Amino acid sequence: MWSGSEQAWPFSAAARPAPRGHAAQFDGWGAGKVLMASLSARALALGAVAHYSSRVLALVVDQAGAIAGIAVRIDGALRFVRARRGVVLCAGGFIGNREMVGQYAPAALRCPQLVSGGNDDGAGIRMGISVGAAAIHMDQFFATLPFFPPESLVKGIFVNQRGSRFINEDAYHGRVAHYVLGQPGGRAWLLVDNGIFGRPMIHPDITVAAAGDSWSEVEQELGMPTGALVHTVEEFNRHAAAGDDPYFHKAATWLRPLSEGPFAALSYCPDDMPAHAFTLGGLATLPDGRVLDTGRQPIAGLYAAGRTACGLPRWGEGYSSGMSLGDSTFFGRMAGLHAAAR
Ligand SMILES: Cc1cc2nc3c(=O)[nH]c(=O)nc-3n(C[C@H](O)[C@H](O)[C@H](O)COP(=O)(O)OP(=O)(O)OC[C@H]3O[C@@H](n4cnc5c(N)ncnc54)[C@H](O)[C@@H]3O)c2cc1C
C-alpha cells in the first residue's frame, strides 16, 4: 500500500515512488487487530507466557553491569524475575508523560491529543537511562492534523496568517501537520472552493473560519492584509491551470484552480483543531535491538524495540504511515532473535 509521502515532493524526486507499505488483508478499518491476534496466538502456541495486570518497575543489574532481570508487580504482588537471555523493553514512548514531553520534546506540548494506548509514560526509556543507556532524538515526534479524507481536500491549499502557502498539501498529513505547527502561532487555514469542499472525516465539526463569494471576502473575514491571500490564490490558480506548482511542487494529480465559488477557509488553528502526537525519540539501539550506552557500547542483556527505542523514524517531518508499527514488529523480532541466541 501507499503509506505517505512516497509520491510527494521532495521524496518523489529522491527515490522512485513505489507502494512500500504492507497491511494484513482485511476489508475496511481493523486490519491491525487481525495482525495482532495472529501474532499473539502464534507466540502463545510456541510456548510464550503472557502476564497481564503487570507492571515492570525496574531493571536488575548484576555486579558486572549486565542486565540480570526485572522487578515487576504482577496482580499487585512484587516479584523479581531473572532474565537468562535478556530483557527486551517494549513499553512504548513518552507522549503520556507531560513532564518528560516538556523536558525533551516541548514542541509536542502543542498537541493535546495523545496517540497512545494510554500507558506511554516513558517507563521503558527511563529504565534504559537508569542503567546508562543513551536516549536519542528525544525532541522528535509524529504529529497530525488529519485534514483528509475526503481526498478532494488535498486539492485545497494551506495558508498562514500572512496569506502565504508553506507546504505541498499532497505530502503525508503528518508532514503537513509539522509545517502547520511551525507557522506563526501555529495558525493555518485550508482554502477550498465549492468543487472540493467536504468535512474532514476525523473532524467533521471543523470550524469554517471564513466564507465568501470571492477570495477577497475570505481574506477580509480572516483579517489578513489586503491582497495577501488573493495574490496567493491567483498565483496558485494560474500555475495549477497549467498543471504546475513551481513554488511547492504539488503533484499534478492534486492541482486544480480554486475558482468555483463559494469559497471557504477551514481552520487548522490550535483553538479549533487539536493536533495528535506520539513521540519518536528513545533508546539508542543497534539493528539487532541491543541497547547502546552513551559511549555507543551495547549494554549486555538489554534490548529495546518500538517507541521505547529510537528506531527508523527519527524525524517527525519525514514520518509516514506504518513506520512505527513496522519499526516495532521488525526490530522487536530482531531483538528477540538476538536475545534467544545468547
Ligand atoms: C489510533 C491510532 C492509529 C495508529 N495508526 C498507526 C499506523 O497507521 N501506522 C503506524 O505505524 N502506527 C500507527 N499508530 C502508532 C502505533 O500504534 C504505535 O506507535 C505502536 O503501537 C507503538 O508500539 P510499541 O510496541 O512501541 O508500544 P505500544 O503499542 O504502546 O505498547 C507498549 C505496551 O507496553 C505496556 N507498558 C508500558 N509501560 C509498562 C511497564 N512499566 N510494564 C509493563 N508494561 C508496560 C503498555 O501498556 C503497552 O501495552 C497508531 C496509533 C493509534 C493510537
Side-chain angles (χ1 to χ4, degrees), residues 31-83:
K33 196 172 173 187
V34 172
L35 178 68
M36 288 312 296
S38 312
L39 292 175
S40 305
R42 180 72 179 142
L44 294 175
L46 289 171
V49 177
H51 290 280
Y52 300 96
S53 302
S54 308
R55 184 168 181 82
V56 180
L57 305 172
L59 295 168
V60 178
V61 181
D62 69 16
Q63 284 179 336
I67 302 303
I70 53 168
V72 56
R73 200 170 51 227
I74 301 178
D75 289 328
L78 178 64
R79 306 250 304 261
F80 293 89
V81 178
R82 177 173 294 281

Side-chain angles (χ1 to χ4, degrees), residues 11-233:
F11 308 103
S12 57
R16 189 169 51 83
R20 298 186 174 88
H22 300 269
Q25 287 189 7
F26 184 79
D27 281 337
W29 296 87
K33 196 172 173 187
V34 172
L35 178 68
M36 288 312 296
S38 312
L39 292 175
S40 305
R42 180 72 179 142
L44 294 175
L46 289 171
V49 177
H51 290 280
Y52 300 96
S53 302
S54 308
R55 184 168 181 82
V56 180
L57 305 172
L59 295 168
V60 178
V61 181
D62 69 16
Q63 284 179 336
I67 302 303
I70 53 168
V72 56
R73 200 170 51 227
I74 301 178
D75 289 328
L78 178 64
R79 306 250 304 261
F80 293 89
V81 178
R82 177 173 294 281
R84 290 193 302 274
R85 305 272 166 89
V87 170
V88 187
L89 295 171
C90 305
F94 61 94
I95 193 67
N97 183 333
R98 300 313 262 177
E99 206 175 309
M100 265 181 95
V101 174
Q103 185 181 358
Y104 292 111
L109 289 173
R110 288 175 292 174
C111 307
Q113 299 284 342
L114 314 185
V115 182
S116 103
N119 290 322
D120 282 33
D121 64 358
I125 296 171
R126 282 180 288 135
M127 276 186 252
I129 292 173
S130 76
V131 295
I136 58 172
H137 297 286
M138 291 288 279
D139 60 327
Q140 294 298 310
F141 59 97
F142 159 86
T144 186
L145 292 157
F147 67 98
F148 63 89
E151 284 201 334
S152 62
L153 291 175
V154 178
K155 294 178 180 166
I157 56 174
F158 271 104
V159 292
N160 61 18
Q161 64 189 25
R162 298 190 200 109
S164 303
R165 279 180 79 203
F166 50 84
I167 181 77
N168 47 324
E169 296 79 7
D170 58 343
Y172 179 59
H173 54 83
R175 180 173 171 83
V176 173
H178 270 279
Y179 276 75
V180 169
L181 294 170
Q183 297 311 303
R187 292 162 67 73
W189 296 266
L190 183 66
L191 304 183
V192 296
D193 73 355
N194 191 46
I196 62 167
F197 175 76
R199 291 189 173 273
M201 194 179 82
I202 298 189
H203 288 290
D205 56 347
I206 184 127
T207 303
V208 179
D213 290 325
S214 67
W215 283 115
S216 71
E217 275 178 56
V218 174
E219 175 184 88
Q220 224 175 356
E221 215 174 312
L222 289 175
M224 288 178 180
T226 306
L229 180 140
V230 169
H231 172 75
T232 295
V233 178

Side-chain angles (χ1 to χ4, degrees), residues 55-56 90-92 115 119-120 306-307 319 321-325 328:
R55 184 168 181 82
V56 180
C90 305
V115 182
N119 290 322
D120 282 33
R307 298 287 53 82
Y319 183 90
S321 186
M323 283 182 83
S324 187
L325 289 171
S328 305

